[in-house]
Amino acid sequence: MDPKTQGRFDALAAVIKAMAHPTRLFVVDELSRGERCVYELTELIGADISTVSKHLAVLKGCGIVEAQRRGSRIYYRLKMPCVLSFFGCVETVIKSDAEERLGYVE
Amino acid sequence: MDPKTQGRFDALAAVIKAMAHPTRLFVVDELSRGERCVYELTELIGADISTVSKHLAVLKGCGIVEAQRRGSRIYYRLKMPCVLSFFGCVETVIKSDAEERLGYVE
DNA sequence: TGGTTATTTGGTTATAATACCAAATAGCCT
DNA sequence: AGGCTATTTGGTATTATAACCAAATAACCA
């Protein structure tokens, strides 16, 4: 793979990697319904707040979400809603794979 | 997060994780233009063939690609072309983020 | 059968990701 | 200033990924 192509796919993979964690997908899904502060997300997720904060940093780091401080709280919102399009496709992949395993297909 | 929700996002993340590697994205992109055998992909990628084979196993394991043996060769093809829709969105995320860093936005 | 090509699997090592706790930082309120 | 709440950062231990080499398996052909 030539360096340019490699760089392109490295960059693509970096963004997809940011989505490749259950907690971060949950966050994206939750933020699709409106902005949330770290504490709200932490309650919903049920992990340590520092863990949630780090997941948010990953999503923010590649520009999928953005943060805004208002008073003592920091609100996160979905900046690139196109990532929601992943969900539909991935559900299809999962369903198709499950059906195949059950022997309905093939 | 209740167990059912957790399970749902675990499953979603598993598929997205399968896409979250430059080599596997390259394979998906390449297979979008037709089936390829392991050797052909290995040449294009330039890694050890065992490495490429393992990447293919990951993609096959979650049903994104499928394999078919014909003679001594095994041809892989894209089974879930909807994953190609990731590319457009991710390119947008990358571009938007790059522009922002350059100060064109905000 | 034996050799050759194509692919996968096992083993090992190196690197990266993730979780939690503790401590640091930031803003608010008295 | 001092205390309180909200969030991030640093540190560490655990687990997961990924690369390569070597060996195993599969199909073909002489």
Side-chain angles (χ1 to χ4, degrees):
Chain A
M1 209 175 343
D2 68 280
K4 195 183 158 193
T5 307
Q6 179 74 57
R8 183 187 165 223
F9 286 101
D10 282 353
L12 288 166
V15 175
I16 295 179
K17 209 180 286 189
M19 296 284 291
H21 191 284
T23 299
R24 293 195 292 267
L25 286 175
F26 177 89
V27 166
V28 166
D29 181 67
E30 185 61 29
L31 296 185
S32 74
R33 288 184 288 280
E35 59 178 24
R36 303 280 187 271
C37 72
V38 183
Y39 182 69
E40 289 172 311
L41 292 169
T42 300
E43 277 207 319
L44 292 168
I45 291 163
D48 193 276
I49 191 167
S50 71
T51 300
V52 174
S53 174
K54 279 172 186 172
H55 283 304
L56 289 167
V58 171
L59 290 170
K60 193 172 69 158
C62 69
I64 293 173
V65 307
E66 61 190 348
Q68 183 187 31
R69 180 181 278 277
R70 283 207 302 279
S72 59
R73 299 199 173 173
I74 299 180
Y75 289 89
Y76 280 83
R77 88 176 64 132
L78 190 56
K79 189 177 156 197
M80 291 288 150
C82 69
V83 297
L84 293 170
S85 69
F86 288 22
F87 289 71
C89 164
V90 174
E91 304 268 23
T92 307
V93 172
I94 292 168
K95 192 185 295 180
S96 158
D97 195 50
E99 282 170 357
E100 198 164 296
R101 275 179 221 289
L102 288 170
Y104 295 149
V105 184
E106 277 186 313
Chain B
M1 211 179 335
D2 67 282
K4 196 184 157 192
T5 307
Q6 179 74 56
R8 182 185 166 224
F9 285 100
D10 282 353
L12 289 165
V15 175
I16 296 179
K17 212 179 282 190
M19 295 285 291
H21 190 283
T23 299
R24 293 194 292 265
L25 286 175
F26 177 89
V27 166
V28 166
D29 182 65
E30 186 61 28
L31 295 186
S32 75
R33 288 184 289 280
E35 59 177 24
R36 301 281 188 270
C37 73
V38 183
Y39 182 69
E40 289 172 313
L41 291 169
T42 300
E43 276 208 318
L44 292 167
I45 292 162
D48 192 275
I49 191 169
S50 70
T51 300
V52 174
S53 174
K54 280 172 186 172
H55 283 304
L56 289 167
V58 171
L59 290 170
K60 193 172 67 157
C62 70
I64 293 172
V65 306
E66 60 191 348
Q68 184 188 28
R69 180 182 279 276
R70 283 207 300 282
S72 60
R73 299 197 172 174
I74 298 180
Y75 289 89
Y76 281 82
R77 87 174 62 117
L78 190 56
K79 189 177 156 198
M80 290 288 151
C82 70
V83 297
L84 294 169
S85 69
F86 288 22
F87 288 71
C89 164
V90 174
E91 304 268 25
T92 308
V93 172
I94 293 167
K95 192 185 292 180
S96 160
D97 195 50
E99 283 170 355
E100 198 164 294
R101 275 180 222 289
L102 287 169
Y104 294 149
V105 185
E106 283 183 310

